[in-house]
Amino acid sequence: MVGAAQILIEAFEARYHSTPDVARAPGRVNLIGEHTDYNLGLVLPVAIDLDCYVASAPNRLGALRIHSENLDQSREWQIEQIPGLGAARDWSDYVIGIARQLPLGRGRDVLIHSNVPLGSGLSSSAALEVATALALGWEGDLPSIELAKLARRAENEFIGLPSGIMDQYAAVFGERNAALLIDCRSLESLAVALPDDVAIVAVNTMVKHELGQSAYRRRVAECASASRDIGVESLRDARPEQLELIRDPIARRRARHVLSENQRVLDFVEASRKGDLREMGRVLVESHRSLEHDYEVTCAELDFLVYRAMEIDGTFGARMTGGGFGGCTLNLVEPEAVERFKATLGREYREKFGIQPAFYQVRPSQGAERIS
Ligand code: GLA
């Protein structure tokens, strides 16, 4: 058994005096295809080797009791009093969003331990949702699109964020040694092997600007309005020459990002198949520029990390990853250059913003699993 799971089982037994089932689900880093998932477009995430572990067992108390080891916080409700939408406005909402969709019997105890840095744009919440569903007894075979959809419903209907399916899909379907090219309309995916001689490094700005969630909602609405002007159901069905039908110039720029980003996902995959790291890197930087100028979801910290990273020898490409307004950048770096990359960028970011960024060199990893 995995060490982390064993430790969690022991902690569970000490806390609740019963033996739990344990499940694991990974975080993700999105290589390219940003803000395309809710437009039914293409994305290319990798599930990473940072995971959330959830342990759970039935109790006879008629209560849902949950504890987060990371935050050292507990919550408890009688089953019939489990709150609704966005009730606590904290980490426990993700557990509630799942718990409300599953039969809990006479009660449940839950213990959580996550190595996915919280609120960093590496999908700690999707990892928590998926691992919770498995630990609470979701019964289907793995991997399963139904599990990804259930986890996404927690986000959309209970947290109230109209996000796409990328994060939960990656947490469920992640593959060791490969990225996932997901078609968010058909919900089919293809494993894309990446060149061997490259390191994937996420750099955490350590900031999360408040406008994140409201700006996300606004972008979703702007894309919907752009689709209406063109007369298509989603921007996936729009062609570049139809952009001029969009009346509002802001919505037009948003749509231009989405259309060009879908194309960049294909260009990146093509370059990856050829092992052309320079071209992959070029496409990443183009994606960042489009997110900066057309989609306007970057921030000073993300822009600094990306453009400064590109000046360091051995960096192939960089861009923001995830929703934006903080969180992480994604960097493709020559393996031998990683230490210098971290030292240089760390020092310069500290000098500029007075914050030490965190670095995570990640590997594509397997999706969610039941451990015991
Ligand atoms: C967040 C959402 C995803 C996706 C990204 C942007 O991570 O949860 O569904 O929309 O932002 O690509």
Side-chain angles (χ1 to χ4, degrees):
M1 177 167 320
V2 189
Q6 186 56 43
I7 295 170
L8 192 64
I9 290 176
E10 283 161 24
F12 189 98
E13 289 171 346
R15 175 174 290 275
Y16 297 120
H17 312 292
S18 60
T19 302
D21 291 329
V22 180
R24 175 195 70 82
R28 64 100 187 93
V29 64
N30 188 21
L31 297 182
I32 193 159
E34 216 64 85
H35 289 278
T36 48
D37 62 351
Y38 53 83
N39 290 300
L40 307 189
L42 304 174
V43 294
L44 189 75
V46 293
I48 55 178
D49 49 347
L50 295 169
D51 310 281
C52 178
Y53 291 85
V54 177
S56 178
N59 66 41
R60 292 161 175 273
L61 306 169
L64 174 64
R65 302 192 292 181
I66 65 183
H67 182 81
S68 158
E69 286 203 327
N70 299 78
L71 302 167
D72 192 23
Q73 287 178 9
S74 302
R75 301 276 185 274
E76 180 174 342
W77 304 271
Q78 289 302 300
I79 296 283
E80 64 280 5
Q81 287 169 358
I82 295 176
L85 175 72
R89 304 235 164 268
D90 67 15
W91 60 278
S92 65
D93 283 345
Y94 299 103
V95 180
I96 297 172
I98 297 296
R100 287 179 63 98
Q101 300 184 67
L102 293 170
L104 296 180
R106 281 200 267 166
R108 273 273 168 191
D109 294 328
V110 178
L111 184 61
I112 301 160
H113 183 88
S114 186
N115 305 316
V116 190
L118 306 182
S120 62
L122 299 180
S123 282
S124 56
S125 57
L128 173 57
E129 290 154 1
V130 170
T132 300
L134 288 175
L136 290 186
W138 181 86
E139 280 182 338
D141 293 335
L142 289 174
S144 157
I145 190 65
E146 292 313 317
L147 176 58
K149 285 181 178 170
L150 178 137
R152 181 193 179 188
R153 271 200 302 277
E155 197 89 32
N156 293 171
E157 293 172 18
F158 295 96
I159 309 296
L161 194 71
S163 55
I165 199 159
M166 168 170 68
D167 305 345
Q168 292 81 9
Y169 197 113
V172 172
F173 285 90
E175 296 223 10
R176 195 162 302 184
N177 301 326
L180 289 178
L181 172 59
I182 306 168
D183 180 328
C184 297
R185 181 163 55 186
S186 70
L187 297 181
E188 280 163 2
S189 61
L190 207 69
V192 175
L194 301 170
D196 287 335
D197 43 349
V198 67
I200 304 173
V201 184
V203 185
N204 194 344
T205 59
M206 311 302 279
V207 302
K208 197 173 182 208
H209 295 297
E210 275 311 316
L211 28 338
Q213 289 217 353
S214 57
Y216 190 96
R217 287 196 184 86
R218 211 171 325 118
R219 298 298 180 280
V220 173
E222 285 160 351
C223 289
S225 121
S227 302
R228 275 195 301 278
D229 282 357
I230 299 178
V232 287
E233 204 178 307
S234 78
L235 286 177
R236 177 65 181 275
D237 300 315
R239 293 187 310 276
E241 63 272 21
Q242 293 175 309
L243 288 173
E244 60 193 41
L245 298 172
I246 304 167
R247 278 172 292 230
D248 174 35
I250 294 180
R252 201 179 309 136
R253 274 193 286 126
R254 306 298 189 239
R256 185 167 64 183
H257 164 74
V258 174
L259 267 62
S260 62
E261 185 77 353
N262 279 329
Q263 183 57 47
R264 279 188 290 271
V265 174
L266 297 172
D267 294 346
F268 185 90
V269 168
E270 171 74 14
S272 181
R273 289 206 171 111
K274 292 184 186 148
D276 187 346
L277 281 157
R278 304 231 161 262
E279 174 63 8
M280 289 163 75
R282 190 190 65 74
V283 178
L284 291 183
V285 176
E286 252 187 41
S287 165
H288 186 85
R289 291 214 176 91
S290 178
L291 288 156
E292 180 186 358
H293 300 296
D294 274 356
Y295 221 67
E296 296 179 284
V297 290
T298 70
C299 58
E301 294 87 348
L302 287 167
D303 294 339
F304 179 86
L305 282 179
V306 165
Y307 296 124
R308 194 54 206 101
M310 291 311 297
E311 288 167 18
I312 300 173
D313 266 359
T315 310
F316 294 110
R319 58 182 284 278
M320 59 153 266
T321 184
F325 299 104
C328 285
T329 63
L330 154 88
N331 303 263
L332 294 184
V333 183
E334 257 173 40
E336 309 75 56
V338 169
E339 286 315 312
R340 192 185 54 228
F341 173 88
K342 292 201 286 198
T344 313
L345 203 54
R347 186 184 61 244
E348 296 192 358
Y349 189 73
R350 230 170 20 245
E351 277 166 16
K352 173 94 179 161
F353 294 102
I355 310 171
Q356 174 62 35
F359 295 87
Y360 319 101
Q361 186 172 345
V362 293
R363 279 175 213 288
S365 299
Q366 199 199 319
E369 61 184 331
R370 300 180 180 92
I371 292 180
S372 67

